[in-house]
Amino acid sequence: MTQNRSALTGNFLMIITAALWGFAFVAQKTGMDHLSPYMFSAIRFVLGATCLVFLLRWFGGARLDRRGYIMGIAMGVVLTFGALMQQVGIVETTAGKGGFLTAIYILLVPIFLSFSGHKLAVQIWPAAILAIAGLYLLSIKGGEFNSINVGDYWVLASAIFWAVHIILIEKAVKYYDPLRLSIVQFYTCGVLSLFAVFLFDETVWSEVLVGVKGGWLELLYGGVASVAVAYTLQVFAQRSVPSHHAALILSLEAVFAVIGGVWLLDEELTMRMVMGFGLIFAGIILAQIPLSGTKAKLKIRENIAD
């Protein structure tokens, strides 16, 4: 009973994470009107990490040892590649197509896990395919894929790092305090993003200050809600949610992105999009249903043991 309750709580936290990330697409897109992708990422992740430092007194667990810091830094490096590639790609592609290409990690997570010998319940594969089909209906309109640009490739590449990031989190939270891990990975990402600013941007600091002033709301949402709250909820939730299930639940990010567009930007909600919602939810529910039969129960027990 306790294990089921823990898994239910983890799933709920994942849904909140997906919602916060989905609405963040608006902030990430409009934030580019004021700052470069690298500067925007640097500020939002440093802001997010600093917010969490103030929570250590009340919610922080055991201090990290040397291996814990290495794990947190590794998570931060992978997070940096995923976040920067996505942020750069969003400048050149549509939000809908970007959301769909990012969600390819739904398929990559079980593929990567299978390469490492991890045993997966057989319904994970059809569940992932259902979710991908739903994301296509939800995100891709008409002939959007007729024109592939460099931004699409950047976003697609970011999906590889999002998949690796989810798997790393599942391993790290078994041994280390989630809050401290989050702080280390966010500061790592913020510092590396700042290095990218110096490498790739022609930085004029007076213009950066103007950009921060103009995009303060996007930075506030991106730093506090999307980074400090959402990523940390993800780390806590993956204590009880396997990475292949987490990937499916986080695909709801695209659903909430569309809801945000309809609600905040008066975008149209079509029957095709509603069908996409249905397929995504069907995939998530399928992944959560235990298979019947002795063989299936043995597989589930093996997954828990892993």
Side-chain angles (χ1 to χ4, degrees):
M1 178 67 75
T2 302
Q3 187 177 25
N4 290 338
R5 186 176 300 170
S6 178
L8 186 62
T9 301
N11 289 341
F12 179 68
L13 292 178
M14 281 291 177
I15 293 172
I16 295 176
T17 299
L20 292 171
W21 283 351
F23 290 121
F25 266 96
V26 177
Q28 287 179 253
K29 187 76 174 176
T30 58
M32 296 303 91
D33 296 336
H34 308 283
L35 294 163
S36 75
Y38 308 112
M39 184 61 76
F40 184 84
S41 291
I43 295 173
R44 71 185 283 234
F45 279 101
V46 169
L47 175 61
T50 304
C51 289
L52 293 183
V53 168
F54 293 102
L55 299 179
L56 276 177
R57 180 177 178 182
W58 296 280
F59 302 107
R63 293 180 181 274
L64 301 179
D65 58 19
R66 182 171 176 272
R67 186 171 179 269
Y69 276 106
I70 291 173
M71 286 294 294
I73 291 171
M75 288 161 57
V77 171
V78 174
L79 176 63
T80 301
F81 278 102
L84 292 185
M85 286 180 172
Q86 184 190 66
Q87 195 65 51
V88 170
I90 284 175
V91 176
E92 300 293 336
T93 192
T94 64
K97 204 195 308 186
F100 174 75
L101 293 172
T102 298
I104 296 298
Y105 67 72
I106 298 170
L107 286 176
L108 295 180
V109 168
I111 289 172
F112 291 167
L113 287 173
S114 66
F115 287 158
S116 63
H118 195 97
K119 299 178 180 66
L120 301 174
V122 295
Q123 79 266 35
I124 289 298
W125 298 104
I129 292 170
L130 277 174
I132 289 289
L135 284 161
Y136 180 86
L137 291 177
L138 180 67
S139 305
I140 306 303
K141 301 175 183 177
E144 270 194 303
F145 264 135
N146 293 341
S147 175
I148 302 294
N149 60 48
V150 66
D152 298 330
Y153 292 116
W154 279 113
V155 176
L156 185 59
S158 77
I160 298 172
F161 292 95
W162 294 131
V164 174
H165 188 246
I166 287 174
I167 294 170
L168 280 179
I169 289 175
E170 182 184 17
K171 293 182 180 300
V173 296
K174 292 177 181 177
Y175 308 102
Y176 299 106
D177 175 53
L179 184 59
R180 294 182 185 274
L181 281 172
S182 295
I183 291 171
V184 173
Q185 73 161 337
F186 297 156
Y187 272 131
T188 300
C189 183
V191 170
L192 291 178
S193 298
L194 192 58
F195 278 133
V197 170
F198 290 113
L199 286 174
F200 302 115
D201 283 351
E202 296 180 0
T203 307
V204 179
W205 291 104
S206 59
E207 293 180 2
V208 171
L209 293 175
V210 172
V212 170
K213 184 178 179 180
W216 69 269
L217 186 59
E218 288 89 344
L219 286 169
L220 188 64
Y221 186 91
V224 178
S226 180
V227 171
V229 178
Y231 277 105
T232 303
L233 286 180
Q234 179 197 9
V235 173
F236 273 96
Q238 281 199 239
R239 281 177 156 180
S240 56
V241 180
S243 53
H244 47 287
H245 283 195
L248 281 164
I249 297 171
L250 291 175
S251 70
L252 288 171
E253 173 185 356
V255 175
F256 286 109
V258 171
I259 291 173
V262 173
W263 179 30
L264 299 173
L265 304 176
D266 294 324
E267 293 180 351
E268 183 184 8
L269 180 65
T270 65
M271 183 55 65
R272 175 190 174 101
M273 294 161 69
V274 172
M275 290 172 62
F277 290 154
L279 286 174
I280 293 169
F281 281 116
I284 292 170
I285 292 170
L286 176 61
Q288 307 298 322
I289 297 175
L291 297 174
S292 59
T294 305
K295 185 177 179 181
K297 289 178 182 177
L298 285 173
K299 286 186 178 181
I300 292 170
R301 288 176 189 147
E302 288 172 354
N303 285 341
I304 294 171
D306 289 344

